[in-house]
Amino acid sequence: LTLFRRLGNSAGEAATLTNLGNLHRRLGEYDRARECHEKALEIVERLKLPSRQISSLLNLANVYSSIGQLKVAQELLQRALSLCRSVGDLVREAQIHLSLGSRHQDAGDHALARKDFERALALFRKLGVRDREAHTLLSLGGAELDLGRMAAAKAHYQAAKVVYGSIGSTLGRAECAYGAGRAAALSGELSIAVAAWRQALDLYRDVQDVSGEATTLSSLALLIAPANCEEAHELAKRSVELTEASRLSLRDMEERSAFVDSATVPYQVAVFSSIRCGDPFRAFEYSERARARSFLDMLAGQVPAPTAAPDQVARAQLVTLDAELQSLLTNMSVPRREPRSGALAEL
């Protein structure tokens, strides 16, 4: 950076600032990342380089999304979208619509999200970018679920499955199976949901996707707990084990943020299945284990605070969890077990 500035090479300076900004963002140093990308944007705007301006705007949008300022991120994406249209950059125009849809989804604007996903889908199909087409179909399925349009959601998941199958993506097929399971569960088709999630579980294991496997195990456990609490508990226990193992490998702050957003669900499901099995003390153990894990992570400053809302299926079934646990602890006259030796070391 210093050498480019001495040489008066503004384009090189902007490129270096961009690289530095991306590095700071991955390290969770968002103020420094924003400063680098803002300086890079100033330079490329002065040099009248529209393609580089688009990149800088997208990088800034990523930073603002990371710190939860979604409105600012959306404004930056709209600016980038206008530039894409002015220079005829259809690929990034499609990608920006996909990003805008995701941000609308995060903000709870599901109708707006669907519109952007539909625009992205049309462009990706026009360009023949099959993997992005399939990804957008998955996103559309999620938006339709949030809008309560189950038939449309199922159609999108099926269409995505066909595309992923044509390009040989096992992970994509796993995501489709999981989405189809969610749609079935929310429609009350529980046996179909269980079958879809068992298929997703096999596919996630085939590609060694630990996160997908853990999420699917939790969902399965929730669904079968009323009928088979012991199997549900084994599934939930395995989900917790995978969650705790996977967290140790995370170094990127963006990945850590995503981990915290979803990591509480396996513990909650383990508590729920323990209650269903009539074991309040095992439920209490998982509850305290989750509290300790969250506290230690945040105390160490390893992860930002969680931002995402829990999955709809989990939310619907866990809403009475605290009341059930309290009732069981109050009504059962059995002695409290002491914590096992070495329990803290397992955290």
Side-chain angles (χ1 to χ4, degrees), residues 95-302:
Q95 188 61 50
I96 290 170
H97 276 302
L98 184 58
S99 296
L100 278 168
S102 297
R103 282 157 179 78
H104 287 313
Q105 191 86 329
D106 291 340
D109 298 326
H110 306 304
L112 288 176
R114 182 177 61 185
K115 288 181 180 179
D116 273 302
F117 289 145
E118 287 173 344
R119 290 167 182 164
L121 180 62
L123 287 169
F124 284 132
R125 282 176 168 167
K126 179 178 180 179
L127 294 164
V129 185
R130 299 285 279 166
D131 60 333
R132 293 285 85 191
E133 175 188 350
H135 180 80
T136 308
L137 284 165
L138 272 178
S139 299
L140 263 172
E144 297 289 13
L145 275 185
D146 289 326
L147 288 167
R149 293 160 49 92
M150 301 305 165
K154 293 173 184 177
H156 288 311
Y157 288 133
Q158 179 60 32
K161 178 182 177 181
V162 171
V163 178
Y164 277 128
S166 71
I167 61 177
S169 174
T170 301
L171 178 58
R173 288 166 52 220
E175 298 285 6
C176 293
Y178 183 79
R182 288 190 64 217
L186 291 170
S187 300
E189 302 167 338
L190 303 188
S191 61
I192 296 176
V194 168
W197 280 338
R198 291 195 187 280
Q199 180 187 23
L201 191 59
D202 290 339
L203 292 169
Y204 281 129
R205 285 171 173 167
D206 285 345
V207 294
Q208 299 181 333
D209 187 302
V210 175
S211 175
E213 181 180 352
T215 300
T216 308
L217 285 167
S218 292
S219 298
L220 269 172
L222 273 175
L223 213 57
I224 68 174
N228 190 337
C229 67
E230 288 298 337
E231 183 186 1
H233 175 69
E234 290 302 314
L235 294 172
K237 179 182 176 182
R238 180 55 180 159
S239 181
V240 169
E241 291 171 351
L242 289 172
T243 298
E244 293 189 344
S246 63
R247 67 178 292 280
L248 298 177
S249 64
L250 300 179
R251 296 292 181 268
D252 184 271
M253 290 300 291
E254 297 292 318
E255 293 177 347
R256 285 190 176 276
S257 178
F259 174 84
V260 172
D261 285 344
S262 61
T264 58
V265 173
Y267 294 99
Q268 291 174 320
V269 175
V271 173
F272 182 80
S273 62
S274 297
I275 290 173
R276 289 295 184 187
C277 291
D279 192 341
F281 298 106
R282 186 169 66 184
F284 182 76
E285 178 185 349
Y286 277 112
S287 177
E288 291 305 294
R289 192 168 171 180
R291 291 174 189 269
R293 169 66 64 210
S294 177
F295 174 75
L296 290 175
D297 278 343
M298 292 186 181
L299 185 66
Q302 295 176 328

Side-chain angles (χ1 to χ4, degrees), residues 34-85:
R34 180 177 57 194
E35 181 181 345
C36 288
H37 288 310
E38 285 175 345
K39 289 179 178 177
L41 179 59
E42 291 174 3
I43 293 171
V44 295
E45 284 180 338
R46 187 178 71 246
L47 296 175
K48 300 187 186 308
L49 301 173
S51 180
R52 298 279 292 276
Q53 289 178 51
I54 294 169
S55 297
S56 293
L57 287 166
L58 295 178
N59 288 326
L60 268 174
N62 286 335
V63 173
Y64 279 102
S65 290
S66 296
I67 60 178
Q69 295 190 30
L70 300 182
K71 184 176 181 180
V72 178
Q74 289 174 8
E75 292 170 352
L76 291 165
L77 287 171
Q78 289 290 354
R79 287 174 59 187
L81 187 61
S82 296
L83 279 171
C84 285
R85 289 169 175 164

